[in-house]
Amino acid sequence: MTASTVEDTTRREASRRVGFSISAKQAWGLLFVAPYMAVFVLFVVFPVSYSFWLARDPQLYVELAKDPIFLRTAINTLVFLLVAINVKMVLALFLSGFFTHPRWWVKITAALFVLPWAVPSIPTILSIRFMLNPEWGVINQLIFKLTMDDGPNWLNDPTLAMALSMVVHIWKSLPFWTLILLAGRLAIPQEIYEAASVDGAGAWHRFRYITWPSISMLYVTCTLLSMLFTLGDFNSVYLLTGGGPADLTHVLATLGIRYLRLDQLNMAMASIVCAMPFVLPLVFFMMKRLSR
Amino acid sequence: MTRGRLMRNVSTEAGLLLIGIPVLLWTLIPLYHMFLFAISPKDAAFSGQLWPTNPTLRNFEMVFGQKHHFLYNFWQQMLNSVLISVGTAIVTLVVATAAAFSISRLRLKGGRLVMNLALFTYFIPAAFLAVPMYKTMGIYGLLNSDWSLVLAMVTVASPYAIWILRQASDKLPVELDEAAIIDGASPLQLFRMVYLPLMVPSLIAVGTYALLLAWNEYLYAFLLLSKDTAITLPVALGNFLAADDSPWELLMTAGFIYALPPAAIYYAFRKYMSSGLTAGAVKG
């Protein structure tokens, strides 16, 4: 911080000496950054401002609050965030420890484990959806073979359907966070562990006193970032339940699209604008953390 | 090796297997289920067997031959996916590399602000930007054109790309630039002859990231494209859902085919991906 301030001052003095025109280097700098700024203005600034403008009428929010589906969606989103993110991050933390073990078969498992993340959502989520089909799905066939009873109609029960959307979300995004936490663990110098082992520290003590203090900040950052990504996850819910049964399993990400399909553009914008007081502080906090 | 140590090793190994096997099953069952459907005859697919009695390639033949009314535009849709992902990768690379060069090597005034704007975009939940983006593309008259999806994907991909590239280029020594400038290189020559060659590994990571992002995208594709000949394959597969008599075995086969390229690309560039993409995150 101080170094760059000093540098800035010297540069400012240097340019003052040359004159008031911006230096050639800065002109080139602007030219190189121009394509990104064009993308940013055209496809972020304009759409976001436009959506705030469309959603400016206070009456929209009254209407939104009266829509029982909106209220249900808000609760679903909250539960989704709280449960899915915590389960996912704790699993990722645990599995990242598993993947540090140097075994040939653990390496192969790690390579395969990435597949759900690398492969497109649509075929895999539809595959899971099909496994859950009450008549022909493999899961209910198995239940029938074992108990001679019909299994539940998984996606017809809003609570089960919501829970299964979370399972799908975790299936899809667990590999990414596991890899990030694994990278964090591998960055810890091995000698510390060796020294601790010599002193007779067991696995739990090594985790408690070496691993956790080293990666707890990373863990918190990942959890917050995962919160923003999870809010933006449309596929897990839409492809599994389509928001059904009876629009009871929507989350904010699918609700906007629902209004859009009902040709209620202003409501779609308003439902997203509603989330902004919660999203923006988190976004600014993350920017602060990661731009250092 | 003492007996106690042997016992301890055996129990560690057993403990690891006890985690590893469920992890593998959890990862692979949905993928295997998809593959099983692809190689099963239509009615056998629903029998719940672990391996079909008569495995067949007929589904692949049906898909490749476009022999079902759901699949009449299979190759066109595949081509759309290829063009859009390659287009996204190229445009993202151009935009993000230039921006990272400007911020990191030319030390653009306000570079920090640009970086923050990029991070802001990266952190806005993707589905939240989708509705305004749809409306905007309509205003720009781009709906149903490949460009709408390419530009939307570039918007989503470039912030992370810039962030990763900037971190990589900050690590390059300043002396290189100084030497080139003393030799009389212009910023453009510096970019082409010094910067780009040194950034190749990061460029591969970022290009792969953008390519896979666009290839795997569903929501933006589903909103921005609607004509049967303009949509990408995931949207076409999603449209299967609307019908009552969906040919599931063909859906799974087409999905399996669609899932192969990203898996292959990921494994081919795995080295670059993991070092390039996790480098940024570990810092936090």
Side-chain angles (χ1 to χ4, degrees), chain A residues 3-43:
Chain A
S4 77
T5 322
V6 171
E7 211 174 277
D8 278 353
T9 330
T10 13
R11 212 188 305 141
R12 222 174 297 131
E13 272 163 17
S15 63
R16 204 180 304 137
R17 245 176 285 130
V18 178
F20 51 81
S21 72
I22 46 167
S23 70
K25 200 175 162 189
Q26 289 299 310
W28 277 104
L30 285 175
L31 195 69
F32 272 99
V33 95
Y36 177 67
M37 288 318 288
V39 167
F40 181 76
V41 170
L42 286 174
F43 300 107

Coordinates of all heavy atoms in Angstrom, one line a residue, chain A residues 3-43:
Chain A
A3 N 4.1 1.4 -0.6 CA 5.0 1.4 -1.7 C 4.3 1.9 -3.0 O 4.9 2.7 -3.7 CB 5.5 -0.1 -2.0
S4 N 3.1 1.5 -3.1 CA 2.4 2.0 -4.4 C 2.0 3.4 -4.3 O 2.0 4.1 -5.3 CB 1.1 1.1 -4.6 OG 0.1 1.5 -3.8
T5 N 1.8 3.9 -3.0 CA 1.5 5.4 -2.9 C 2.7 6.2 -3.3 O 2.6 7.2 -4.0 CB 1.1 5.7 -1.4 OG1 0.3 4.6 -0.9 CG2 0.3 7.0 -1.4
V6 N 3.9 5.7 -2.7 CA 5.2 6.4 -3.1 C 5.4 6.4 -4.6 O 5.7 7.4 -5.2 CB 6.3 5.7 -2.3 CG1 7.7 6.3 -2.8 CG2 6.2 5.9 -0.8
E7 N 5.1 5.2 -5.2 CA 5.3 5.1 -6.6 C 4.4 6.0 -7.4 O 4.8 6.7 -8.3 CB 5.0 3.6 -7.0 CG 5.7 3.1 -8.1 CD 5.4 1.6 -8.3 OE1 6.0 0.8 -7.6 OE2 4.5 1.3 -9.1
D8 N 3.1 6.1 -6.9 CA 2.1 7.0 -7.5 C 2.6 8.4 -7.5 O 2.5 9.1 -8.5 CB 0.8 6.9 -6.8 CG 0.0 5.7 -7.3 OD1 0.5 5.0 -8.2 OD2 -1.1 5.4 -6.7
T9 N 3.1 8.8 -6.3 CA 3.6 10.2 -6.2 C 4.7 10.5 -7.1 O 4.7 11.5 -7.8 CB 4.0 10.5 -4.7 OG1 3.3 9.6 -3.9 CG2 3.9 11.9 -4.3
T10 N 5.7 9.6 -7.2 CA 6.8 9.8 -8.1 C 6.3 9.9 -9.5 O 6.8 10.8 -10.3 CB 7.9 8.7 -8.0 OG1 7.3 7.6 -7.3 CG2 9.1 9.2 -7.4
R11 N 5.4 9.0 -9.9 CA 4.9 9.0 -11.2 C 4.2 10.3 -11.5 O 4.3 10.9 -12.6 CB 4.0 7.8 -11.5 CG 4.1 7.3 -12.9 CD 3.0 6.3 -13.2 NE 3.1 5.2 -12.2 CZ 2.0 4.6 -11.8 NH1 0.8 5.1 -12.1 NH2 2.1 3.6 -10.9
R12 N 3.4 10.8 -10.5 CA 2.6 12.0 -10.7 C 3.6 13.2 -10.9 O 3.4 14.0 -11.8 CB 1.7 12.3 -9.5 CG 0.4 12.8 -9.9 CD -0.5 12.9 -8.7 NE -0.8 11.6 -8.1 CZ -0.7 11.4 -6.8 NH1 -0.3 12.4 -6.0 NH2 -1.0 10.2 -6.3
E13 N 4.7 13.2 -10.1 CA 5.7 14.3 -10.3 C 6.4 14.2 -11.7 O 6.5 15.2 -12.3 CB 6.8 14.1 -9.2 CG 6.4 14.9 -7.9 CD 7.2 14.5 -6.8 OE1 8.3 13.8 -7.0 OE2 6.8 14.8 -5.6
A14 N 6.7 13.0 -12.1 CA 7.3 12.8 -13.4 C 6.4 13.3 -14.5 O 6.9 14.0 -15.4 CB 7.6 11.3 -13.6
S15 N 5.1 13.0 -14.4 CA 4.2 13.4 -15.5 C 4.0 14.9 -15.4 O 3.8 15.6 -16.5 CB 2.9 12.7 -15.4 OG 2.2 13.0 -14.3
R16 N 4.1 15.5 -14.2 CA 4.0 17.0 -14.1 C 5.2 17.6 -14.8 O 5.0 18.6 -15.5 CB 3.9 17.4 -12.7 CG 3.2 18.7 -12.5 CD 3.1 19.2 -11.0 NE 2.5 18.2 -10.2 CZ 3.0 17.8 -9.0 NH1 4.1 18.4 -8.5 NH2 2.3 16.9 -8.3
R17 N 6.4 17.0 -14.7 CA 7.5 17.5 -15.3 C 7.4 17.5 -16.8 O 7.7 18.4 -17.5 CB 8.8 16.7 -14.9 CG 9.8 17.6 -14.1 CD 10.9 16.7 -13.6 NE 10.6 15.9 -12.5 CZ 10.8 14.6 -12.4 NH1 11.4 14.0 -13.4 NH2 10.5 13.8 -11.4
V18 N 6.8 16.4 -17.3 CA 6.7 16.3 -18.8 C 5.6 17.3 -19.3 O 5.7 17.8 -20.4 CB 6.3 14.9 -19.2 CG1 6.0 14.7 -20.7 CG2 7.3 13.9 -18.7
G19 N 4.6 17.6 -18.5 CA 3.6 18.5 -18.9 C 2.3 18.0 -18.5 O 2.2 17.0 -17.7
F20 N 1.2 18.6 -18.9 CA -0.1 18.1 -18.4 C -0.8 17.0 -19.2 O -1.8 16.5 -18.8 CB -1.1 19.4 -18.3 CG -1.2 20.2 -19.5 CD1 -2.0 19.8 -20.5 CD2 -0.4 21.3 -19.6 CE1 -2.1 20.6 -21.7 CE2 -0.5 22.1 -20.8 CZ -1.4 21.7 -21.8
S21 N -0.2 16.8 -20.4 CA -0.8 15.7 -21.2 C -0.5 14.4 -20.6 O 0.5 14.1 -20.0 CB -0.3 15.8 -22.7 OG 1.0 15.3 -22.7
I22 N -1.5 13.4 -20.8 CA -1.2 12.1 -20.3 C -0.1 11.4 -21.1 O 0.0 11.7 -22.3 CB -2.5 11.2 -20.3 CG1 -3.2 11.3 -21.6 CG2 -3.4 11.6 -19.1 CD1 -4.3 10.3 -21.8
S23 N 0.7 10.6 -20.4 CA 1.8 10.0 -21.1 C 1.3 9.0 -22.1 O 0.2 8.5 -22.1 CB 2.7 9.4 -20.1 OG 2.1 8.2 -19.6
A24 N 2.2 8.7 -23.1 CA 1.9 7.7 -24.1 C 1.6 6.4 -23.5 O 0.6 5.7 -24.0 CB 3.1 7.6 -25.1
K25 N 2.3 6.0 -22.4 CA 2.0 4.8 -21.8 C 0.6 4.7 -21.3 O -0.1 3.6 -21.4 CB 3.0 4.6 -20.6 CG 3.2 3.2 -20.1 CD 4.3 3.2 -19.0 CE 4.3 2.0 -18.2 NZ 5.2 2.0 -17.1
Q26 N 0.1 5.8 -20.7 CA -1.3 5.8 -20.2 C -2.3 5.7 -21.3 O -3.3 5.1 -21.2 CB -1.5 7.1 -19.3 CG -0.8 7.1 -18.0 CD -1.2 5.9 -17.1 OE1 -2.4 5.7 -16.9 NE2 -0.2 5.2 -16.6
A27 N -1.9 6.4 -22.4 CA -2.8 6.3 -23.6 C -2.9 4.9 -24.1 O -4.0 4.4 -24.4 CB -2.3 7.2 -24.7
W28 N -1.8 4.2 -24.2 CA -1.8 2.8 -24.6 C -2.6 2.0 -23.5 O -3.4 1.1 -23.9 CB -0.4 2.2 -24.7 CG 0.2 2.5 -26.0 CD1 1.2 3.5 -26.3 CD2 -0.1 1.9 -27.3 NE1 1.5 3.5 -27.6 CE2 0.8 2.5 -28.2 CE3 -0.9 0.8 -27.7 CZ2 0.8 2.1 -29.6 CZ3 -0.9 0.5 -29.0 CH2 -0.1 1.1 -29.9
G29 N -2.4 2.3 -22.3 CA -3.1 1.6 -21.2 C -4.6 1.7 -21.4 O -5.4 0.7 -21.3
L30 N -5.1 2.9 -21.7 CA -6.5 3.1 -21.9 C -7.0 2.3 -23.1 O -8.1 1.7 -23.1 CB -6.8 4.6 -22.1 CG -6.8 5.5 -20.9 CD1 -6.9 6.9 -21.2 CD2 -7.9 5.0 -19.9
L31 N -6.2 2.3 -24.2 CA -6.6 1.6 -25.4 C -6.7 0.1 -25.1 O -7.7 -0.6 -25.5 CB -5.5 1.8 -26.4 CG -5.9 1.4 -27.8 CD1 -6.9 2.4 -28.4 CD2 -4.6 1.5 -28.7
F32 N -5.8 -0.4 -24.3 CA -5.9 -1.9 -24.0 C -7.0 -2.3 -23.1 O -7.5 -3.4 -23.1 CB -4.5 -2.3 -23.3 CG -3.5 -2.7 -24.3 CD1 -2.5 -1.9 -24.7 CD2 -3.5 -4.0 -24.9 CE1 -1.5 -2.2 -25.6 CE2 -2.6 -4.4 -25.8 CZ -1.6 -3.5 -26.2
V33 N -7.4 -1.3 -22.2 CA -8.5 -1.6 -21.3 C -9.9 -1.3 -21.9 O -10.9 -1.8 -21.4 CB -8.3 -0.9 -19.9 CG1 -9.0 0.4 -19.9 CG2 -8.6 -1.8 -18.8
A34 N -9.9 -0.6 -23.0 CA -11.1 -0.2 -23.6 C -12.1 -1.3 -24.0 O -13.3 -1.2 -23.7 CB -10.8 0.7 -24.9
P35 N -11.6 -2.4 -24.6 CA -12.5 -3.5 -24.9 C -13.3 -4.0 -23.7 O -14.5 -4.2 -23.7 CB -11.7 -4.6 -25.5 CG -10.4 -4.0 -25.9 CD -10.2 -2.8 -25.0
Y36 N -12.6 -4.2 -22.6 CA -13.3 -4.7 -21.4 C -14.3 -3.6 -20.9 O -15.4 -4.0 -20.5 CB -12.3 -5.1 -20.3 CG -13.2 -5.5 -19.1 CD1 -13.9 -6.7 -19.1 CD2 -13.3 -4.7 -17.9 CE1 -14.8 -7.0 -18.1 CE2 -14.1 -5.1 -16.9 CZ -14.9 -6.2 -17.0 OH -15.7 -6.6 -16.0
M37 N -13.9 -2.4 -20.9 CA -14.8 -1.3 -20.4 C -16.0 -1.3 -21.3 O -17.1 -1.1 -20.8 CB -14.1 0.0 -20.4 CG -13.1 0.2 -19.3 SD -13.6 -0.5 -17.7 CE -14.8 0.7 -17.2
A38 N -15.9 -1.5 -22.6 CA -17.0 -1.5 -23.5 C -18.0 -2.6 -23.1 O -19.2 -2.4 -23.0 CB -16.6 -1.7 -24.9
V39 N -17.4 -3.8 -22.9 CA -18.2 -5.0 -22.4 C -18.9 -4.6 -21.1 O -20.2 -4.9 -21.0 CB -17.4 -6.2 -22.3 CG1 -18.1 -7.3 -21.5 CG2 -16.9 -6.7 -23.6
F40 N -18.2 -4.0 -20.2 CA -18.8 -3.7 -18.9 C -19.9 -2.7 -19.0 O -21.0 -2.9 -18.4 CB -17.6 -3.2 -18.0 CG -18.1 -2.9 -16.6 CD1 -18.3 -3.9 -15.7 CD2 -18.3 -1.6 -16.2 CE1 -18.8 -3.6 -14.4 CE2 -18.7 -1.3 -14.9 CZ -19.0 -2.3 -14.0
V41 N -19.7 -1.7 -19.8 CA -20.8 -0.6 -19.9 C -22.0 -1.2 -20.6 O -23.1 -1.0 -20.1 CB -20.2 0.6 -20.6 CG1 -21.3 1.6 -20.9 CG2 -19.2 1.3 -19.7
L42 N -21.7 -1.9 -21.7 CA -22.9 -2.4 -22.5 C -23.6 -3.5 -21.9 O -24.9 -3.6 -22.0 CB -22.4 -2.9 -23.9 CG -21.9 -1.8 -24.9 CD1 -21.3 -2.4 -26.1 CD2 -23.1 -0.9 -25.3
F43 N -22.9 -4.4 -21.2 CA -23.6 -5.6 -20.7 C -23.7 -5.8 -19.2 O -24.3 -6.7 -18.7 CB -23.0 -6.9 -21.3 CG -23.0 -6.8 -22.8 CD1 -21.9 -6.6 -23.6 CD2 -24.2 -7.0 -23.5 CE1 -21.9 -6.6 -25.0 CE2 -24.3 -7.0 -24.9 CZ -23.2 -6.7 -25.6

